[in-house]
Amino acid sequence: MIECINLRKVYESGDTATVALDNVSFKIEDGEYVAIMGPSGSGKSTLMHLLGALDTPTSGKYLLDTVDISTMTDDQLADIRKDKIGFVFQAFNLLPRATVLRNVMLPLMYSEVPKEEREKIARKALANVGMEETRFYHHSNQISGGQMQRVAIARALVANPSLILADEPTGNLDTKTGEIVLSTFEELNKQGRTIVLITHEPDVAEHAHRIIHVRDGKILSDTHTARHPTHKKS
Amino acid sequence: MTTADLIEETYFSLTINKVRSGLTVLGIVIGIGSVIAMIAIGQGAQNSIQSSIQSIGSNLVLVMPGAARGAGVQVSSGRGSSQTLTQADADAIGKSVTGIKAVAPEVSKRYQITSRGKNTNTQVIGTVPTYMDVRNVQIDSGNFVTDSHVRSAAKVAVLGPTARDDLFGVDASPVGQTIRINRIEFKIVGVTKAKGGSGFSNQDDMVFVPLTTAQRYLSGDTYVSTISVEAQSQDLMASVQQQITSLILTRHKISDPQLADFNVLNQSDIVAAATSVTGIFTILLASIAAISLLVGGIGIMNMMLTTVTERTREIGLRKAIGGKSRDISIQFLAEAVMLTFSGGVLGVILGWLLTLAVSAFTGIATSISITSVLLAFGVSAGIGVVFGYYPARRASHLNPIEALRYE
């Protein structure tokens, strides 16, 4: 469960201070599928960095699973990222000359999972995102973009995080492979994973169940989409 | 991150760019290899010079003609060039100096020697029977110069093994045959045993004749070129040297020791002087080699800095998935140390091969000490830490947000 209370982030460079986030408060329950939308410069990237425990707010509180991480040190934040957050990036960020399997096992090295178990967990995660076993030993730069992103999603899954944070996951993909990646997220959400999608494309945001619009560092709107379970019921 | 993981990650990263890693390691290989080789060759040369000096005898004090100029040991000053020592000086040393075992005067000069068409140019030493004891000469066949040969100025000669090989062929037995030294016929009465070893100054390429014979038929005067004195023990050498100096000063009527027309050399002084010369050369060679090691270390640092820049996104990713600054810095430090350490291992092998080659071509018996091998490993790993520290620090201090965005 995510709870943001009056999050504020100010970047200072020289004499000028830029307010990137201005008193943002919201809550995301476990198992939700949320899209954070906004044009560039809206503060959505800053929000993602805070949600992903890559940065700390200037003021305000960020509770992840009821733990306040807004005042943690760099090493404590690293532990939070390791245990609670799975990242999916626009540029995939796979190790190019490593095999698919090795890429997926990488986070388990930092969580000190015994070596024998790593491969088992990684294979399960890869199967979960629909990767065929024949590709497991391909180098990650020898597979297609859509496959790369699914490998990256598998990598985000292995440590069993509370939150999967996807930053423009379809930005480098064509519409068709983008759809496949988005349906992968949908599948994971059905399994009960909390997913936060950061995007500027309305088409992509539509796949989520809830859209938070951000503009000029403030929340513009917070609405349920047609796909929201409660929406269907009503 | 466990140690096994660290080693695996390091190996993986280094083998991605094998050519670059290999070339970088080469700098360390050459550095360590040359340090090892230079120290081994230096020590080998030192041992060879020492044993060469020891092979001329033990507890030797040498009296040579020629002026001592200033301080320090001048091994060859005026040797044979001036004529101030006589047989009488040698007799006086034998009579009045205490603590000596034997005195052997000699007169030596190079002559052309012929035998049945073959000829060679070698050192002819005119001496007395005690020379055998003083200079560690042993007889292989026949006899050495005897007292009666000396008394009668007999035209007899004893060959060194190298001279024998040159004049009569390898391992021939020339005893009873004749040779001509300076066109005078000599009968061969014996051959000495090889002293072996060192090509520094060949102790085997010599011909011995009685002292009186050499003075009468070859040099034509009564001077001697060296008086070798063997002290009874090493402790007595300084005292013997002192006594000889004052004795000959008195005999030659010289009041100021600075103006002495002879030198008295103590064998241990010669060894010490030679040792310090080769020691300085070893240090000189090793320091030049150490500079190449330093250059190799800078090469490592350069490569690691390039690697950190190239892998900025990877560093960002590793931080995003939970890698701490410490994990990142240890990983890059491990890469640098693995490079230099493998360079150290290969360098020791290269150094070993170099010393083998040097031994094979120059005959200097080289030896690689365990200490220098251990030192090489220590130094190479140390270089990895020193030159890997800054790049590793730079990697670990990258901001994950900026690192992930790095193009």
Side-chain angles (χ1 to χ4, degrees), chain A residues 79 91 93 112 115 118, chain B residues 1 5 8 313 319 324:
Chain A
D79 278 331
N93 285 339
E112 296 190 343
K115 235 175 160 168
R118 286 183 205 165
Chain B
M1 217 172 170
D5 287 332
E8 201 189 321
R313 285 175 76 112
K319 286 197 154 189
K324 295 192 176 74

Side-chain angles (χ1 to χ4, degrees), chain B residues 247-323:
Chain B
L247 175 72
I248 300 184
L249 280 174
T250 319
R251 284 181 58 84
H252 290 193
K253 302 185 178 65
I254 298 164
S255 53
D256 183 0
Q258 294 291 326
L259 299 173
D261 57 357
F262 61 92
N263 287 317
V264 182
L265 300 178
N266 181 324
Q267 196 182 13
S268 41
D269 290 347
I270 304 172
V271 172
T275 305
S276 90
V277 169
T278 49
I280 288 166
F281 268 100
T282 306
I283 292 168
L284 179 75
L285 291 173
S287 355
I288 293 169
I291 290 171
S292 74
L293 194 56
L294 183 74
V295 173
I298 293 169
I300 294 274
M301 186 149 164
N302 192 12
M303 175 194 155
M304 290 311 296
L305 283 174
T306 314
T307 306
V308 168
T309 310
E310 278 178 358
R311 287 157 65 191
T312 299
R313 285 175 76 112
E314 179 193 324
I315 294 163
L317 171 83
R318 285 178 186 274
K319 286 197 154 189
I321 62 176

Side-chain angles (χ1 to χ4, degrees), chain B residues 7 46 56 67 142 148 169 179 185 195 197 199 215 241 290 331 345:
Chain B
I7 291 168
Q46 200 160 332
I56 64 174
S148 69
I179 52 169
E185 206 160 88
K195 281 190 165 189
Q215 287 176 333
Q241 188 178 10
Q331 190 190 335
V345 173

Side-chain angles (χ1 to χ4, degrees), chain B residues 342-362:
Chain B
S342 52
V345 173
L346 293 174
V348 168
I349 295 170
L350 176 76
W352 176 65
L353 291 176
L354 277 177
T355 55
L356 282 188
V358 166
S359 299
F361 287 117
T362 67

Side-chain angles (χ1 to χ4, degrees), chain A residues 37 179 182 201-207:
Chain A
M37 260 197 82
E179 285 294 331
L182 287 170
E201 291 175 81
D203 293 350
V204 174
E206 279 304 318
H207 284 79

